[in-house]
Amino acid sequence: LTAESHRIPLSDGNSIPLLGLGTYADPQKTPKGSCLEAVKIAIDAGYRHIDGAFVYFNEHEVGQAIREKIAEGKIKREDIFYCGKLWNTCHPPELVRPTLEKTLKILQLDYVDLYIIELPMAFKPGEALYPKDENGKFIYHETDLCATWEAMEACKDAGLAKSIGVSNFNRRQLEMIMNKPGLKYKPVSNQVECHPYFTQPKLLEFCRQHDIVIVGYSPLGTSRDESWVNVSSPPLMKDPVLNAIGKKYNKTAAQVALRFSIQRGVVVIPKSFNPQRIRENFQIFDFSLTEKEMKEIEALNKNVRYVELLM
């Protein structure tokens, strides 16, 4: 089985590979060029789905890696599925297309395969990506998600994005878009935290009913950085159940966790800049979990997020 045979059809006729490379990185802590190398290694390993964002500050490296691999003849542009994101300061409808155009200019690509609203809340528009007042409190902006969505639809019509979706939306927010008068395109995907400790059963079921694909971020848990991570849950990769199942198949806990998600129909985007782990995370198409093992892993759900998004 190859990753290419593991694609999920999207409701607009496009399709998304079940496994992608997440490129989130702290620009302060990530050496220049490490994202470029990671994406090239991932493409060589067989990845075709790259998840990025303007606020990761590395889309220039992602675009360069894709272009270099195209120039080498390793891939064609249409082989790659790139997901970009609309940031919180860009929700006003008149800012949506210029923001996507800026992303395309940085990537030096003509279109993205998926463009998503990163969060269902907005910050004050302007130069500051994390605008704060004199007391250090975030400055929010009243947002009309339906108007933002109409501007996303216009980007799809203009051919700048093949598909459009959302991220971190709950059921109520999804319904608000889907029940919008004059809806042209519904969201094809909803990117949310999803892994064995946070399995999202209700949201997954709701999205299944409406042909919305769940893309799971932090599918292996997260770093233990207390500045943005809830560390009350133990590290997912140390879980005894995942490790015991891994032993049976000669796989790592990470490979078992990723396999669990894709067998549920959840797209996974594990983030790694470590060449060995990038390759390891891809080796999940040569085994499958039994129904009993799937139930055992489902029972690990703690209903607690690692990424609390306190903002």
Side-chain angles (χ1 to χ4, degrees):
L1 293 170
T2 66
E4 275 309 293
S5 67
H6 279 87
R7 292 176 79 96
I8 297 188
L10 299 175
S11 52
D12 62 2
N14 200 355
S15 68
I16 183 169
L18 268 164
L19 175 67
L21 178 77
T23 60
Y24 169 76
D26 183 333
Q28 264 75 51
K29 298 175 187 169
T30 312
K32 203 175 155 196
S34 53
C35 179
L36 170 70
E37 284 313 307
V39 173
K40 282 160 69 173
I41 288 161
I43 290 171
D44 284 340
Y47 288 77
R48 295 294 177 262
H49 176 179
I50 314 290
D51 181 82
F54 173 68
V55 291
Y56 299 171
F57 302 106
N58 56 14
E59 284 191 311
H60 58 292
E61 292 188 18
V62 175
Q64 187 184 337
I66 293 169
R67 292 193 315 276
E68 282 184 19
K69 286 293 159 190
I70 291 170
E72 276 175 32
K74 174 81 184 172
I75 50 163
K76 297 188 188 78
R77 168 62 187 97
E78 54 270 28
D79 297 333
I80 291 292
F81 187 98
Y82 182 78
C83 171
K85 302 184 182 83
L86 180 78
W87 182 238
N88 311 356
T89 53
C90 309
H91 279 209
E94 67 277 8
L95 296 181
V96 174
R97 180 168 177 161
T99 304
L100 174 52
E101 285 172 340
K102 194 172 173 185
T103 276
L104 292 172
K105 197 176 173 187
I106 293 167
L107 289 162
Q108 291 182 43
L109 297 175
D110 296 330
Y111 65 90
V112 293
D113 299 271
L114 176 61
Y115 198 53
I116 62 179
I117 300 174
E118 191 156 353
L119 283 152
M121 36 69 71
F123 288 152
K124 177 189 168 190
E127 287 305 302
L129 292 175
Y130 296 89
K132 289 182 178 175
D133 63 19
E134 61 278 7
N135 303 314
K137 294 262 194 299
F138 285 112
I139 306 171
Y140 295 99
H141 183 72
E142 195 165 313
T143 188
D144 176 357
L145 282 174
C146 290
T148 306
W149 186 253
E150 284 173 12
M152 296 281 284
E153 291 178 321
C155 288
K156 177 172 161 61
D157 280 339
L160 302 177
K162 287 203 163 179
S163 298
I164 51 175
V166 297
S167 179
N168 298 301
F169 273 47
N170 62 28
R171 175 180 176 154
R172 180 179 60 81
Q173 291 151 347
L174 286 167
E175 285 179 328
M176 191 164 69
I177 301 277
M178 292 191 297
N179 297 333
K180 182 188 88 59
L183 180 74
K184 206 166 184 188
Y185 309 111
K186 67 178 186 182
V188 297
S189 62
N190 185 16
Q191 188 179 125
V192 294
E193 180 175 344
C194 194
H195 48 73
Y197 283 177
F198 193 58
T199 53
Q200 299 265 28
K202 286 182 185 172
L203 188 64
L204 184 57
E205 186 48 41
F206 174 79
C207 287
R208 267 195 195 128
Q209 287 167 2
H210 294 277
D211 278 337
I212 298 169
V213 172
I214 290 274
V215 177
Y217 66 73
S218 300
L220 304 176
T222 55
S223 70
R224 309 296 283 174
D225 182 341
E226 291 189 26
S227 67
W228 62 278
V229 173
N230 165 17
V231 292
S232 66
S233 276
L236 182 63
M237 296 299 91
K238 297 232 169 102
D239 187 85
V241 173
L242 296 178
N243 281 281
I245 293 171
K247 215 171 208 175
K248 173 185 162 184
Y249 293 105
N250 200 22
K251 293 287 177 183
T252 64
Q255 289 165 324
V256 172
L258 295 175
R259 182 73 210 183
F260 165 75
S261 287
I262 67 164
Q263 277 189 219
R264 299 171 82 217
V266 172
V267 172
V268 284
I269 44 171
K271 179 250 149 176
S272 179
F273 287 177
N274 175 310
Q276 187 193 337
R277 288 206 197 107
I278 289 172
R279 293 183 193 107
E280 243 175 40
N281 290 343
F282 197 76
Q283 306 304 315
I284 57 171
F285 298 104
D286 56 357
F287 79 111
S288 59
L289 301 166
T290 65
E291 210 172 310
K292 180 174 174 281
E293 287 160 348
M294 289 293 287
K295 285 198 162 69
E296 280 171 15
I297 299 171
E298 267 169 23
L300 300 175
N301 184 35
K302 299 178 188 299
N303 236 6
V304 173
R305 297 171 192 271
Y306 282 116
V307 186
E308 291 181 303
L309 297 170
L310 296 175
M311 60 185 173

